[in-house]
Structures are given as structure tokens and as C-alpha cells.
Amino acid sequence: MNSKTKYTIIAVVVLIAIQFVRWYVEEGLETKVITGDSTVVASNQIYLPTSTTGNIIYHNNYSLSYHEKFEQAEWVAYELKRDHLSNKKFKRPLFYQDESIKTKSAHWANFKNSGYDKGHLCPAGDRKFTKQAHDETFLTSNISPQEHQFNSGIWNRLEQKVRYWAKKYNGVFVITGGVLTDNLNTIGNEKVAVPKYFYKVLLDNNNGKIKMLAFLVPHQNSNKPLYEFVVSVDRVEQLTGIDFFPQIEDEVEEKLESLDSYKGWSFR
């Protein structure tokens, strides 16, 4: 076998493998593709929302829709499974710009002396199963300006509750972001918008029966119980212009998204 024939066979095999992986993901099945020390979780793309900008970025461990006007993601989405939860401790890296975005994401320096935290949308604590997954959450496309007391207070409580549900139900699909509207305050030279509300939308489909839950939280700390911030998915869609679960059969989607009940979700 000459070298030309050998390389042709290798190329054909690679193309077949790529097509197989694409087919597997499009069929809505969960698969993991190992690339170096990175684990690409294909289920992070199963329930992606629509994008108002068309600027969707697929990272190894979460996906996002970037909104250049507001210099941040309008949503970040990922699946949090029970086996993703870990107590590993990694050194926090520096925040760095997301070069997957043509215009790059806003520089971290916009936050300097702004009085706001660099608030993770996909928390580093949800991606501690590898160092690469943890460090990927420090892209500036994954942060939004958050008041410190909010970030370390009620928002942190909600993130911890999501981990509790991920463990209890063996996984939830998470979509989160700030409500981006005109006339928001901004920080830095790039005018990074400061949302007045943050939302988190959850979906559990692990026992064959889909259930949803949505939170709309004012950008201020609160000692109120989390269930007081539960709203319908429809309410968040009205505020954001995003269709959160277009893949779900319309009749099922409309019924579930209209509910503002937290029945079926343990708040203990």
C-alpha cells in the first residue's frame, strides 16, 4: 500500500467518524467526546434556546448566545449531571476574553473599580469535574456585572439549590442570564450592561416526564425563600424575547411554560 492510498483511507475513516458523532448528537442522545483533557458533553446542546442575535457559541462544557450590544451572553446553557458534581479544588485562573466570538467578549478590565463582581453565569462550581471544564467558566463571555451581596447571597443560594436538584434528580438542564433591555446602567469603556434582573430556567427530563422551573430574581440581595422568585417560563420569555425550549412538542411546551408552580421540585 503506497502512502497516498494509506492517507486516503485515513481521511475517509475520519470523515465517517465525524458524521457519526454529528448524527449521534442530532438524534438528541447523550454522548461524550474526549479531546485531550477536555470532555465535550453533547447533551449541553439538546435543549438550547433560540438566540435573538444568531451568535451562538459552543464551548466544550456549556453553550452561550452572545449579545454584542450588551457585551455579555443573553443566555448560557448546560446540563448539570450528578456525576459532574465534585469537591475538587482548582486554583482560580485569570479571566480571559472569548476569542470564539468574532468581536471578542468584553475585557475583564471593564469591571475594575466598577463596584461589581464578575458574576459567573455558568458557575465554576458546576464545572469542577476537570480543570479544563472549571477554567473554561472564566471566559468573559460567561460573566455579567453583579453586586457582591447579590452574587454571594441569594444568587449563590440558587446555584447551590440547582446542584441539590442535579444530585436528587440525576441531572437538570440549566439556562441562565441577565434580562437585557435598553437603558441599563453600564460599566467600563466597552459599556457592559448591568441587568436589573437575572433569571434561571431549569428542565428535568430524567424519568420520562418533563418538568420545568423558572426563577426571576431582582438584582439585589434578599433573604426571602427561593420559591418566592418562581415565575412561569412564559414570563421570562416575554421579558427576554427568547424561546427556551423550541425542541419540545408544542402542546407540551405551551402547557409547561405557562405554569408558575414549583410542584414536583423539592425545596427542603
Side-chain angles (χ1 to χ4, degrees), residues 36-221:
D37 66 348
S38 168
T39 302
V40 181
V41 183
S43 57
N44 286 333
Q45 299 180 24
I46 291 176
Y47 294 114
L48 290 190
T50 58
S51 169
T52 68
T53 66
N55 194 7
I56 297 179
I57 306 297
Y58 304 100
H59 287 304
N60 289 327
N61 299 285
Y62 60 88
S63 301
L64 63 91
S65 172
Y66 198 76
H67 204 308
E68 179 67 25
K69 177 180 177 179
F70 300 101
E71 288 291 4
Q72 62 197 276
E74 62 177 349
W75 55 255
V76 172
Y78 59 99
E79 187 172 34
L80 182 60
K81 300 287 284 183
R82 183 184 294 154
D83 60 8
H84 292 161
L85 301 173
S86 172
N87 291 321
K88 292 179 182 176
K89 294 186 182 297
F90 297 113
K91 182 179 179 181
R92 288 172 63 91
L94 297 174
F95 284 90
Y96 57 107
Q97 287 178 280
D98 190 342
E99 296 188 356
S100 299
I101 298 167
K102 290 182 180 179
T103 55
K104 291 189 179 181
S105 54
H107 197 279
W108 62 266
N110 288 283
F111 288 76
K112 191 174 182 180
N113 299 322
S114 69
Y116 290 94
D117 287 359
K118 305 177 190 73
H120 282 76
L121 296 176
C122 174
D126 287 359
R127 287 291 177 259
K128 291 167 67 176
F129 45 88
T130 68
K131 185 177 188 303
Q132 188 277 339
H134 171 269
D135 290 358
E136 191 178 55
T137 67
F138 286 82
L139 287 164
T140 58
S141 56
N142 183 45
I143 61 174
S144 182
Q146 291 185 339
E147 294 178 0
H148 177 71
Q149 294 301 319
F150 171 86
N151 186 23
S152 62
I154 189 170
W155 194 246
N156 180 56
R157 281 199 287 134
L158 181 52
E159 290 174 342
Q160 291 184 42
K161 184 60 72 175
V162 171
R163 291 178 198 125
Y164 164 75
W165 286 321
K167 184 176 181 180
K168 184 177 180 66
Y169 306 130
N170 192 24
V172 289
F173 197 84
V174 186
I175 307 169
T176 191
V179 177
L180 304 178
T181 58
D182 291 334
N183 302 316
L184 293 174
N185 291 333
T186 63
I187 61 171
N189 293 331
E190 294 180 271
K191 299 188 182 303
V192 180
V194 181
K196 294 180 179 178
Y197 293 87
F198 285 88
Y199 69 84
K200 200 174 289 287
V201 178
L202 309 176
L203 181 144
D204 170 26
N205 188 25
N206 286 290
N207 63 1
K209 186 176 181 181
I210 297 175
K211 66 178 188 280
M212 298 178 188
L213 189 66
F215 294 86
L216 183 65
V217 188
H219 189 181
Q220 59 192 39
N221 194 28

Side-chain angles (χ1 to χ4, degrees), residues 228-244:
E228 290 197 19
F229 299 97
V230 171
V231 297
S232 67
V233 176
D234 279 344
R235 173 62 176 150
V236 184
E237 288 185 338
Q238 291 165 2
L239 291 173
T240 61
I242 298 166
D243 182 0
F244 283 97

